[in-house]
């Protein structure tokens, strides 16, 4: 098994040296085991409970969202048969999580967005746009989107996806607020409202809510 680190996986604007996305791609030789076979002692642990990550939810066919997965969540994540994970946190990915990705053939797309608090919220539109391209590429499905708590950064990315799916803003904000609850940020909702999806409309959107 070989791990390939591709720091310049996505195209960047000319003259921009800022690293927008880091990817870790696991290339496994031989037969790829199904999720059921990858769980050691699955027959002996049939009574064990699966624990989803914080704020876990299904977004659409092949797309999930959550807070940062912990080791207790790995067995649950194996049942999803993930191909990719999109991490919106800038910190280095924990070693235990990297090992989980390697052992399950999951590719990591890491878009480092700082976890600001109001009134100093600065959401990088170009980074959200690049992350959306990963979400829209069905070759990355099933994919899990996560940040620290699965509220703000994840909520903004999902909200922009909903705009592509032609959701009205009221519904976009309702979904965002269900996860953010008392921590909902006006700046996040303003960002989603102002986000321009026109440059992404040419991309295929094979989702349940994207029929034109």
């Amino acid at each position: 098994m070989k791990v390939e680190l591709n720091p310049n996986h996505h195209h960047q604007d000319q003259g921009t040296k800022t690293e927008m996305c880091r990817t870790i791609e696991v290339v496994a030789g031989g037969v790829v085991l199904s999720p059921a076979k990858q769980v050691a002692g699955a027959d002996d642990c049939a009574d064990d409970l699966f624990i989803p990550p914080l704020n876990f939810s299904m977004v659409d066919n092949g797309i999930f969202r959550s807070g940062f997965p912990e080791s207790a969540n790995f067995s649950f994540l194996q049942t999803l048969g993930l191909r990719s994970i999109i991490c919106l946190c800038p910190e280095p990915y924990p070693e235990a999580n990297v090992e989980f990705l390697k052992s399950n053939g999951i590719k990591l797309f890491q878009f480092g967005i700082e976890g600001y608090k109001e009134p100093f919220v600065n959401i990088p539109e170009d980074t959200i746009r690049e992350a959306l391209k990963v979400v829209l590429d069905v070759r990355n499905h099933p994919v899990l989107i996560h940040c620290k708590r699965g509220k703000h950064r994840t909520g903004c990315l999902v909200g922009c996806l909903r705009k592509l799916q032609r959701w009205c803003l009221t519904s976009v904000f309702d979904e965002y607020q269900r996860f953010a609850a008392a921590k909902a940020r006006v700046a996040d909702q303003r960002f989603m409202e102002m986000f321009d999806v026109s440059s992404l409309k040419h991309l295929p959107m094979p989702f349940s809510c994207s029929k034109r």
Side-chain angles (χ1 to χ4, degrees):
M1 181 175 291
K2 179 175 65 174
V3 178
E4 297 181 352
L5 182 61
N6 304 317
N8 297 312
H9 180 79
H10 289 286
H11 296 295
Q12 302 177 16
D13 294 339
Q14 290 184 351
T16 301
K17 295 182 179 180
T18 304
E19 182 179 305
M20 188 174 294
C21 174
R22 295 190 298 272
T23 68
I24 295 178
E25 182 173 5
V26 179
V27 182
V31 179
V32 178
L33 298 180
S34 66
K37 293 181 180 179
Q38 289 170 337
V39 181
D43 293 338
D44 299 330
C45 303
D47 295 332
D48 288 352
L49 297 177
F50 291 129
I51 305 173
L54 178 70
N55 278 330
F56 176 83
S57 182
M58 182 176 182
V59 177
D60 208 312
N61 297 332
I63 306 176
F64 306 93
R65 62 178 291 172
S66 75
F68 211 108
E70 299 179 352
S71 56
N73 310 133
F74 291 167
S75 293
F76 172 82
L77 294 180
Q78 282 180 314
T79 68
L80 304 179
L82 296 174
R83 288 183 182 175
S84 308
I85 285 180
I86 296 175
C87 175
L88 302 177
C89 300
E91 297 81 12
Y93 218 55
E95 186 62 31
N97 293 61
V98 171
E99 288 302 316
F100 172 74
L101 301 185
K102 290 166 60 178
S103 62
N104 290 276
I106 300 171
K107 186 173 184 177
L108 172 68
F109 295 88
Q110 186 166 14
F111 297 89
I113 301 176
E114 296 291 340
Y116 296 102
K117 294 184 179 181
E118 287 187 309
F120 306 105
V121 177
N122 181 22
I123 304 168
E125 183 171 336
D126 288 345
T127 303
I128 293 292
R129 198 177 306 280
E130 291 302 310
L132 274 174
K133 292 178 182 179
V134 175
V135 175
L136 293 172
D137 191 341
V138 71
R139 293 172 297 181
N140 298 320
H141 296 180
V143 58
L144 173 70
I145 305 166
H146 79 79
C147 53
K148 186 67 175 177
R149 300 291 181 184
K151 295 180 178 180
H152 303 113
R153 288 165 284 189
T154 298
C156 285
L157 180 57
V158 171
C160 293
L161 172 65
R162 296 309 192 193
K163 290 191 68 176
L164 272 170
Q165 294 178 315
R166 295 188 168 187
W167 281 33
C168 67
L169 279 176
T170 299
S171 297
V172 172
F173 293 161
D174 282 348
E175 181 179 43
Y176 168 84
Q177 290 164 1
R178 280 204 310 273
F179 291 91
K183 300 289 187 179
R185 296 172 179 169
V186 174
D188 286 349
Q189 294 171 82
R190 185 180 300 116
F191 172 83
M192 290 183 281
E193 180 179 3
M194 301 301 295
F195 186 80
D196 183 8
V197 299
S198 60
S199 65
L200 298 169
K201 286 184 176 179
H202 68 285
L203 297 174
M205 289 186 291
F207 308 137
S208 63
C209 302
S210 60
K211 303 303 181 184
R212 301 180 183 178

